[in-house]
Amino acid sequence: MKLQRKNGLRATALGALAVTGALVLTACGSDDNAGGTSGSGDKTSAASNIKCDGAEGKLLASGSSAQKNAMDLWVKNYMAACSGVEINYKSSSSGEGIVAFNQGTVGFAGSDSALKDDEVADSKKICKSGQGINLPMVGGPIAIGYNLSGVDNLVLDPSTIAKIFNGKITKWNDPAIAKLNEGVSLPDKAIQAFHRSEDSGTTQNLGKYLGKTAKADWPYEAEKKWPAPGGQAASGSSGVAAQVKQVDGAIGYFELSYATSQSIPTVDINTGAAAPVKATSENASKAIAAAKVKGTGKDLALELDYATTAEGAYPIVLVTYEVVCDTGNKAETLGTVKSFLGYTASDEGQKVLTDAGYAPIPAEINAKVRETVAGLS
């Protein structure tokens, strides 16, 4: 099917990118002087444009599992270029990442939701002369993945998605689903809906989408904790994807990269546009490009339009933020934080996102991210 071929191409591209990272590692490892210090004292790898100046030692970070696949690529490429520097990103959840950041145990955290007021207040205990800020670094679609024998293409709208995850639609041949999929033979099979077991920014972003587009069928506040009764829980996006992959009749939500890597078919969304919209990086970019900065000062938290009906704009999107101190970062990790996040926000760093199933941050917003990273202290 077209979707399967597209997923296969992306998996191939991801594999090729991993090989590229391995080749960079080999090149740097074979000759430490290749990325050595120039006459100006600026250490830049000859195999890339990654600037390693100021970076040293070990940097711990944790949080969002949504960006895990992007972070894995970034860390591989960065450590290949910057000899002697170790980046250790623990993929857990947005909630756990923010807790770790506000406890001072990590240099930065990944979160799929911007810091709340109380979390900013807590951050001031760690950021002695400043506070935690949100730097948008990774964009992408939240795919609705499913496993239904004999069904290779499926269209849902906000109401049916809400009713499925709220336990109101329990069979795959429900009339509401059938109406959106004329000509498709839907089985009389129970729907097995999976959601995240832990606090998750992915859950919160899905809740924001359903709250904006299907309020009558999704009467819950958009929180990181799964709000609806019933369903089955799994840990992390990887856990939800694994369950969907294994269980015939299953449906769940996770970042597109998890669907791509495991060849899980994804739902096309009827947004009210002329045609249903597929979950692709390109289509997510169309939605994210309309985002507005709502943060103040150095905080770059974004406001997304989940209710967009623009042609080809995939509406269930998230932006993962790297949470750092604007000032008051720990001296022993500040150089590495600035160097690493400088790379992830660079053209080179953002370029890897599309092949990995993510969407780059729009250029105008990303320019502000780079400026903020350079000014961290």
Side-chain angles (χ1 to χ4, degrees):
M1 294 298 175
K2 291 181 178 180
L3 179 60
Q4 291 173 327
R5 287 199 299 269
K6 193 166 187 178
N7 284 344
L9 287 172
R10 283 189 176 151
T12 301
L14 181 58
L17 187 59
V19 171
T20 301
L23 291 174
V24 171
L25 178 60
T26 301
C28 292
S30 64
D31 183 2
D32 290 340
N33 292 327
T37 305
S38 67
S40 63
D42 174 32
K43 293 189 296 179
T44 302
S45 168
S48 72
N49 294 318
I50 298 175
K51 295 183 181 297
C52 310
D53 34 335
E56 60 182 356
K58 185 175 183 179
L59 173 63
L60 300 179
S62 70
S64 166
S65 65
Q67 68 172 357
K68 178 184 183 301
N69 294 329
M71 191 61 70
D72 286 349
L73 289 170
W74 281 335
V75 169
K76 175 189 284 290
N77 293 344
Y78 181 84
M79 288 175 57
C82 300
S83 177
V85 182
E86 180 181 351
I87 310 292
N88 187 331
Y89 181 82
K90 178 184 177 183
S91 172
S92 51
S93 69
S94 298
E96 292 177 56
I98 290 173
V99 168
F101 178 76
N102 281 341
Q103 289 177 342
T105 59
V106 295
F108 71 88
S111 176
D112 307 325
S113 294
L115 293 168
K116 294 181 178 179
D117 290 344
D118 61 330
E119 293 169 337
V120 172
D122 287 344
S123 73
K124 293 179 180 179
K125 302 171 186 176
I126 299 300
C127 308
K128 298 299 184 181
S129 57
Q131 65 181 45
I133 57 173
N134 304 283
L135 301 178
M137 200 68 71
V138 183
I142 300 174
I144 307 295
Y146 68 97
N147 181 350
L148 191 58
S149 296
V151 178
D152 298 313
N153 295 284
L154 185 69
V155 176
L156 297 176
D157 62 11
S159 177
T160 54
I161 294 170
K163 289 177 180 177
I164 286 171
F165 284 110
N166 200 18
K168 302 300 183 183
I169 291 179
T170 59
K171 289 291 188 73
W172 278 110
N173 62 347
D174 187 277
I177 300 177
K179 185 178 180 179
L180 292 165
N181 295 273
E182 294 182 6
V184 177
S185 180
L186 296 167
D188 182 16
K189 181 183 288 291
I191 295 174
Q192 306 289 332
F194 287 89
H195 59 264
R196 292 281 289 272
S197 60
E198 75 285 7
D199 286 3
S200 160
T202 310
T203 294
Q204 187 172 40
N205 280 278
L206 177 64
K208 289 178 180 178
Y209 166 72
L210 294 176
K212 290 286 187 181
T213 58
K215 184 64 176 177
D217 302 307
W218 193 257
Y220 309 108
E221 293 296 323
E223 299 291 346
K224 293 176 183 175
K225 184 177 180 63
W226 180 254
Q232 301 175 63
S235 178
S237 290
S238 59
V240 175
Q243 290 298 318
V244 172
K245 179 72 173 179
Q246 294 170 13
V247 178
D248 190 17
I251 190 169
Y253 59 95
F254 32 80
E255 294 65 42
L256 180 62
S257 61
Y258 291 92
T260 300
S261 63
Q262 298 188 52
S263 298
I264 299 172
T266 61
V267 168
D268 296 348
I269 307 297
N270 183 339
T271 65
V277 184
K278 295 185 177 296
T280 68
S281 297
E282 296 80 7
N283 291 343
S285 292
K286 293 177 184 178
I288 296 172
K292 307 295 184 185
V293 175
K294 66 177 181 179
T296 58
K298 294 182 179 180
D299 184 78
L300 298 175
L302 301 179
E303 183 175 354
L304 299 168
D305 181 8
Y306 296 97
T308 180
T309 59
E311 297 298 327
Y314 184 82
I316 317 178
V317 295
L318 60 74
V319 169
T320 296
Y321 301 95
E322 311 312 337
V323 177
V324 295
C325 297
D326 54 359
T327 62
N329 290 278
K330 293 181 179 179
E332 60 269 28
T333 57
L334 174 60
T336 308
V337 168
K338 292 178 69 172
S339 173
F340 179 67
L341 296 185
Y343 160 60
T344 63
S346 69
D347 287 340
E348 184 177 349
Q350 290 288 297
K351 187 177 180 181
V352 308
L353 294 178
T354 300
D355 288 339
Y358 296 96
I361 299 300
E364 182 178 348
I365 296 171
N366 195 46
K368 296 178 181 178
V369 173
R370 296 181 194 177
E371 181 181 354
T372 302
V373 169
L376 296 178
S377 62

